[in-house]
Coordinates of all heavy atoms in Angstrom, one line a residue:
G35 N -7.6 3.8 -2.4 CA -8.4 5.1 -2.5 C -7.6 6.2 -1.8 O -7.6 7.4 -2.3
I36 N -7.0 5.9 -0.7 CA -6.2 7.0 0.0 C -5.1 7.4 -0.9 O -4.8 8.6 -1.0 CB -5.7 6.4 1.4 CG1 -6.9 6.2 2.3 CG2 -4.7 7.3 2.0 CD1 -6.6 5.4 3.6
V37 N -4.4 6.5 -1.4 CA -3.2 6.8 -2.3 C -3.7 7.7 -3.5 O -3.1 8.7 -3.8 CB -2.5 5.5 -2.8 CG1 -1.5 5.8 -3.8 CG2 -1.9 4.7 -1.6
A38 N -4.8 7.3 -4.1 CA -5.3 8.0 -5.3 C -5.7 9.4 -4.8 O -5.4 10.4 -5.5 CB -6.5 7.3 -5.9
A39 N -6.4 9.5 -3.7 CA -6.9 10.8 -3.2 C -5.7 11.8 -2.9 O -5.7 12.9 -3.3 CB -7.8 10.7 -2.0
R40 N -4.7 11.2 -2.3 CA -3.5 12.0 -2.0 C -2.8 12.5 -3.3 O -2.3 13.6 -3.4 CB -2.5 11.2 -1.1 CG -3.0 11.1 0.3 CD -2.0 10.2 1.2 NE -0.7 10.6 1.0 CZ 0.0 11.5 1.8 NH1 -0.6 12.0 2.8 NH2 1.3 11.7 1.6
H41 N -2.7 11.6 -4.2 CA -2.1 11.9 -5.5 C -2.8 13.0 -6.3 O -2.1 13.8 -6.9 CB -2.0 10.6 -6.4 CG -1.3 10.8 -7.7 ND1 0.0 11.0 -7.8 CD2 -1.8 10.9 -9.0 CE1 0.4 11.1 -9.1 NE2 -0.7 11.1 -9.8
R42 N -4.1 13.1 -6.1 CA -4.8 14.2 -6.8 C -5.0 15.4 -5.9 O -5.6 16.4 -6.3 CB -6.1 13.7 -7.4 CG -7.1 13.3 -6.4 CD -8.5 12.9 -7.1 NE -9.4 12.5 -6.1 CZ -9.6 11.2 -5.7 NH1 -8.9 10.2 -6.2 NH2 -10.5 11.0 -4.8
G43 N -4.4 15.4 -4.7 CA -4.4 16.5 -3.8 C -5.7 16.6 -3.0 O -5.9 17.6 -2.4
D44 N -6.5 15.5 -2.9 CA -7.7 15.5 -2.2 C -7.4 15.0 -0.7 O -7.7 13.9 -0.4 CB -8.7 14.6 -2.9 CG -10.1 14.6 -2.1 OD1 -10.3 15.3 -1.1 OD2 -10.9 13.7 -2.5
L45 N -6.8 15.9 0.1 CA -6.4 15.5 1.4 C -7.7 15.2 2.3 O -7.6 14.3 3.1 CB -5.5 16.5 2.1 CG -4.1 16.6 1.3 CD1 -3.2 17.6 2.0 CD2 -3.5 15.3 1.1
P46 N -8.7 16.0 2.2 CA -9.9 15.7 3.0 C -10.5 14.3 2.6 O -11.0 13.6 3.5 CB -10.9 16.8 2.7 CG -10.1 18.0 2.2 CD -8.9 17.3 1.5
G47 N -10.5 14.0 1.3 CA -11.0 12.7 0.9 C -10.1 11.5 1.4 O -10.6 10.5 1.9
A48 N -8.8 11.8 1.4 CA -7.9 10.8 1.9 C -8.1 10.6 3.4 O -8.1 9.4 3.9 CB -6.4 11.2 1.6
R49 N -8.3 11.7 4.1 CA -8.5 11.6 5.6 C -9.8 10.9 5.9 O -9.9 10.1 6.8 CB -8.6 13.0 6.1 CG -9.0 13.1 7.6 CD -8.3 12.3 8.6 NE -6.9 12.4 8.6 CZ -6.0 11.5 9.1 NH1 -6.5 10.4 9.6 NH2 -4.7 11.7 9.0
A50 N -10.9 11.1 5.1 CA -12.2 10.5 5.3 C -12.0 8.9 5.1 O -12.6 8.2 5.9 CB -13.2 11.0 4.3
L51 N -11.3 8.6 4.0 CA -11.0 7.1 3.8 C -10.2 6.5 5.0 O -10.5 5.4 5.4 CB -10.4 6.9 2.5 CG -11.2 7.1 1.2 CD1 -10.4 7.2 0.0 CD2 -12.2 6.0 1.1
A52 N -9.2 7.2 5.4 CA -8.4 6.7 6.5 C -9.2 6.6 7.8 O -9.0 5.6 8.5 CB -7.2 7.7 6.7
D53 N -10.1 7.5 8.0 CA -10.9 7.5 9.2 C -12.0 6.3 9.2 O -12.5 6.0 10.2 CB -11.6 8.8 9.4 CG -10.7 9.9 9.9 OD1 -9.5 9.6 10.3 OD2 -11.1 11.1 9.8
A54 N -12.2 5.8 8.0 CA -13.2 4.7 7.8 C -12.6 3.4 8.4 O -13.4 2.4 8.6 CB -13.6 4.6 6.4
F55 N -11.3 3.3 8.6 CA -10.8 2.0 9.2 C -11.2 2.0 10.6 O -11.3 3.0 11.3 CB -9.3 2.0 9.0 CG -8.8 1.7 7.7 CD1 -8.3 2.7 6.9 CD2 -8.8 0.4 7.2 CE1 -7.8 2.5 5.6 CE2 -8.3 0.2 5.9 CZ -7.8 1.2 5.1
T56 N -11.4 0.8 11.1 CA -11.9 0.7 12.5 C -10.7 0.9 13.5 O -11.0 1.4 14.6 CB -12.5 -0.7 12.8 OG1 -11.5 -1.7 12.5 CG2 -13.7 -1.0 12.0
D57 N -9.5 0.6 13.1 CA -8.3 0.9 14.0 C -7.0 0.9 13.2 O -7.0 0.6 12.0 CB -8.3 -0.2 15.1 CG -8.2 -1.6 14.6 OD1 -7.7 -1.9 13.5 OD2 -8.7 -2.5 15.4
D58 N -6.0 1.2 13.9 CA -4.7 1.3 13.2 C -4.2 -0.1 12.6 O -3.6 -0.2 11.6 CB -3.6 1.8 14.1 CG -3.8 3.3 14.4 OD1 -4.4 4.0 13.6 OD2 -3.2 3.7 15.4
A59 N -4.5 -1.2 13.3 CA -4.1 -2.5 12.9 C -4.8 -2.9 11.6 O -4.2 -3.4 10.6 CB -4.5 -3.6 13.9
E60 N -6.1 -2.5 11.4 CA -6.8 -2.8 10.2 C -6.2 -2.0 9.0 O -6.0 -2.5 7.9 CB -8.3 -2.4 10.3 CG -9.1 -2.7 9.1 CD -10.5 -2.3 9.2 OE1 -10.8 -1.1 9.6 OE2 -11.4 -3.1 8.8
R61 N -5.9 -0.7 9.3 CA -5.3 0.2 8.3 C -3.9 -0.4 7.9 O -3.6 -0.5 6.7 CB -5.1 1.6 8.9 CG -4.6 2.6 7.9 CD -4.5 4.0 8.5 NE -5.7 4.5 9.0 CZ -5.9 4.7 10.3 NH1 -5.0 4.6 11.2 NH2 -7.1 5.1 10.7
A62 N -3.1 -0.8 8.9 CA -1.8 -1.3 8.6 C -1.8 -2.6 7.8 O -1.1 -2.8 6.8 CB -1.0 -1.5 9.9
H63 N -2.8 -3.4 8.1 CA -2.9 -4.7 7.3 C -3.3 -4.4 5.9 O -2.8 -5.0 5.0 CB -4.0 -5.6 8.1 CG -3.9 -7.0 7.6 ND1 -5.0 -7.9 7.8 CD2 -3.0 -7.7 6.9 CE1 -4.6 -9.0 7.3 NE2 -3.4 -9.0 6.8
A64 N -4.3 -3.5 5.7 CA -4.7 -3.2 4.4 C -3.5 -2.6 3.5 O -3.4 -3.0 2.4 CB -5.8 -2.1 4.4
F65 N -2.7 -1.7 4.1 CA -1.6 -1.2 3.4 C -0.5 -2.2 3.1 O 0.2 -2.2 2.1 CB -1.0 0.1 4.1 CG -1.8 1.3 3.7 CD1 -2.8 1.8 4.5 CD2 -1.5 2.0 2.5 CE1 -3.5 3.0 4.1 CE2 -2.1 3.1 2.1 CZ -3.1 3.6 2.9
L66 N -0.3 -3.2 4.1 CA 0.6 -4.3 3.9 C 0.2 -5.1 2.7 O 1.0 -5.4 1.8 CB 0.7 -5.1 5.1 CG 1.5 -6.4 4.9 CD1 2.9 -6.2 4.6 CD2 1.3 -7.3 6.1
L67 N -1.1 -5.5 2.6 CA -1.6 -6.3 1.5 C -1.5 -5.5 0.2 O -1.1 -6.1 -0.9 CB -3.0 -6.8 1.8 CG -3.1 -7.7 2.9 CD1 -4.6 -8.0 3.2 CD2 -2.4 -9.0 2.6
L68 N -1.8 -4.2 0.2 CA -1.7 -3.4 -1.0 C -0.3 -3.3 -1.5 O 0.0 -3.4 -2.7 CB -2.3 -2.0 -0.7 CG -2.2 -1.0 -1.9 CD1 -3.0 -1.5 -3.1 CD2 -2.7 0.3 -1.4
T69 N 0.6 -3.1 -0.5 CA 2.1 -3.1 -0.9 C 2.5 -4.4 -1.5 O 3.2 -4.3 -2.6 CB 2.9 -2.7 0.3 OG1 2.5 -1.5 0.9 CG2 4.4 -2.7 0.0
E70 N 2.1 -5.5 -1.0 CA 2.5 -6.8 -1.5 C 2.0 -6.9 -2.9 O 2.7 -7.4 -3.8 CB 2.1 -7.9 -0.6 CG 2.9 -8.0 0.7 CD 2.4 -9.1 1.6 OE1 1.3 -9.7 1.4 OE2 3.1 -9.4 2.5
L71 N 0.7 -6.5 -3.2 CA 0.1 -6.6 -4.5 C 0.9 -5.7 -5.5 O 1.2 -6.1 -6.6 CB -1.4 -6.2 -4.4 CG -2.1 -6.2 -5.7 CD1 -2.1 -7.6 -6.4 CD2 -3.5 -5.7 -5.5
A72 N 1.2 -4.5 -5.0 CA 1.8 -3.5 -5.9 C 3.2 -4.0 -6.3 O 3.7 -3.9 -7.5 CB 1.9 -2.2 -5.3
L73 N 3.9 -4.6 -5.3 CA 5.3 -5.2 -5.6 C 5.2 -6.4 -6.6 O 6.0 -6.5 -7.5 CB 6.0 -5.5 -4.3 CG 6.4 -4.3 -3.5 CD1 6.9 -4.8 -2.1 CD2 7.4 -3.5 -4.2
T74 N 4.2 -7.2 -6.4 CA 4.0 -8.3 -7.3 C 3.7 -7.9 -8.7 O 4.2 -8.4 -9.7 CB 2.9 -9.2 -6.8 OG1 3.3 -9.7 -5.5 CG2 2.6 -10.4 -7.7
I75 N 2.8 -6.9 -8.8 CA 2.5 -6.3 -10.2 C 3.8 -5.7 -10.8 O 4.1 -5.9 -12.0 CB 1.4 -5.3 -10.1 CG1 0.1 -6.0 -9.7 CG2 1.3 -4.5 -11.4 CD1 -1.0 -5.0 -9.3
T76 N 4.6 -5.0 -10.0 CA 5.8 -4.4 -10.5 C 6.7 -5.5 -11.0 O 7.3 -5.4 -12.1 CB 6.5 -3.6 -9.4 OG1 5.6 -2.5 -9.1 CG2 7.8 -3.0 -9.9
S77 N 6.9 -6.6 -10.2 CA 7.7 -7.7 -10.6 C 7.2 -8.4 -11.9 O 8.0 -8.6 -12.8 CB 7.8 -8.7 -9.5 OG 8.5 -9.9 -9.8
D78 N 5.9 -8.6 -12.0 CA 5.4 -9.2 -13.2 C 5.6 -8.3 -14.4 O 5.9 -8.9 -15.5 CB 3.8 -9.4 -13.0 CG 3.5 -10.5 -12.0 OD1 4.4 -11.2 -11.6 OD2 2.3 -10.6 -11.6
H79 N 5.5 -7.0 -14.3 CA 5.6 -6.2 -15.5 C 7.0 -5.9 -15.8 O 7.3 -5.5 -17.0 CB 4.8 -4.9 -15.2 CG 3.4 -5.0 -15.4 ND1 2.4 -4.2 -14.8 CD2 2.6 -5.9 -16.1 CE1 1.2 -4.6 -15.2 NE2 1.3 -5.7 -15.9
T80 N 8.0 -6.0 -14.9 CA 9.4 -5.6 -15.2 C 10.2 -6.9 -15.4 O 11.3 -6.8 -16.0 CB 10.0 -4.8 -14.0 OG1 10.0 -5.7 -12.9 CG2 9.3 -3.5 -13.8
G81 N 9.7 -8.0 -15.0 CA 10.5 -9.3 -15.1 C 11.6 -9.4 -14.1 O 12.3 -10.3 -14.1
R82 N 11.6 -8.5 -13.1 CA 12.6 -8.5 -12.1 C 12.0 -9.3 -10.9 O 10.8 -9.2 -10.6 CB 13.0 -7.1 -11.7 CG 13.7 -6.4 -12.8 CD 13.8 -4.9 -12.6 NE 14.7 -4.7 -11.5 CZ 14.7 -3.6 -10.7 NH1 13.8 -2.7 -10.9 NH2 15.5 -3.4 -9.7
D83 N 12.9 -10.0 -10.2 CA 12.3 -10.8 -9.1 C 12.0 -9.9 -7.9 O 12.6 -8.8 -7.7 CB 13.2 -12.0 -8.7 CG 14.6 -11.6 -8.2 OD1 14.8 -10.4 -7.9 OD2 15.4 -12.5 -8.0
L84 N 11.1 -10.3 -7.0 CA 10.7 -9.5 -5.9 C 11.8 -9.2 -4.9 O 11.9 -8.0 -4.5 CB 9.5 -10.3 -5.2 CG 8.6 -9.4 -4.3 CD1 8.0 -8.3 -5.0 CD2 7.6 -10.3 -3.7
P85 N 12.7 -10.1 -4.6 CA 13.8 -9.7 -3.7 C 14.6 -8.6 -4.2 O 15.1 -7.7 -3.5 CB 14.6 -11.0 -3.5 CG 13.6 -12.1 -3.7 CD 12.7 -11.5 -4.8
T86 N 14.9 -8.5 -5.5 CA 15.6 -7.4 -6.1 C 14.9 -6.1 -6.0 O 15.5 -5.1 -5.6 CB 15.9 -7.7 -7.6 OG1 16.7 -9.0 -7.7 CG2 16.7 -6.6 -8.3
I87 N 13.6 -6.1 -6.2 CA 12.8 -4.9 -6.1 C 12.8 -4.4 -4.7 O 13.0 -3.2 -4.4 CB 11.4 -5.1 -6.6 CG1 11.4 -5.4 -8.1 CG2 10.5 -4.0 -6.3 CD1 10.1 -5.9 -8.7
V88 N 12.6 -5.3 -3.7 CA 12.6 -5.0 -2.3 C 13.9 -4.4 -1.9 O 14.0 -3.4 -1.1 CB 12.2 -6.2 -1.4 CG1 12.4 -5.9 0.0 CG2 10.7 -6.6 -1.7
R89 N 15.0 -5.0 -2.3 CA 16.4 -4.5 -2.0 C 16.6 -3.1 -2.5 O 17.1 -2.2 -1.8 CB 17.4 -5.5 -2.6 CG 18.8 -5.2 -2.1 CD 19.8 -6.2 -2.5 NE 19.6 -6.9 -3.8 CZ 19.1 -8.1 -3.9 NH1 18.7 -8.8 -2.9 NH2 19.0 -8.7 -5.1
E90 N 16.1 -2.8 -3.8 CA 16.3 -1.5 -4.3 C 15.5 -0.5 -3.5 O 15.9 0.6 -3.2 CB 15.8 -1.5 -5.8 CG 16.0 -0.1 -6.4 CD 15.6 -0.1 -7.9 OE1 15.7 -1.1 -8.6 OE2 15.2 1.0 -8.4
I91 N 14.3 -0.8 -3.1 CA 13.4 0.1 -2.3 C 14.1 0.3 -1.0 O 14.2 1.5 -0.5 CB 12.0 -0.5 -2.1 CG1 11.3 -0.5 -3.4 CG2 11.3 0.2 -1.0 CD1 9.9 -1.2 -3.4
S92 N 14.7 -0.7 -0.4 CA 15.4 -0.6 0.9 C 16.5 0.4 0.8 O 16.8 1.2 1.7 CB 15.8 -1.9 1.5 OG 14.7 -2.7 1.8

Side-chain angles (χ1 to χ4, degrees):
I36 291 168
V37 172
R40 287 176 48 92
H41 182 73
R42 67 176 179 267
D44 180 8
L45 298 182
R49 172 53 51 202
L51 287 167
D53 289 344
F55 285 103
T56 58
D57 57 28
D58 288 340
E60 182 185 47
R61 184 179 306 116
H63 196 199
F65 274 97
L66 170 65
L67 294 173
L68 177 61
T69 301
E70 289 178 348
L71 177 61
L73 290 172
T74 299
I75 291 169
T76 300
S77 176
D78 290 348
H79 284 156
T80 64
R82 297 169 65 208
D83 65 7
L84 198 56
T86 299
I87 293 168
V88 170
R89 187 171 36 258
E90 183 178 333
I91 290 170
S92 295

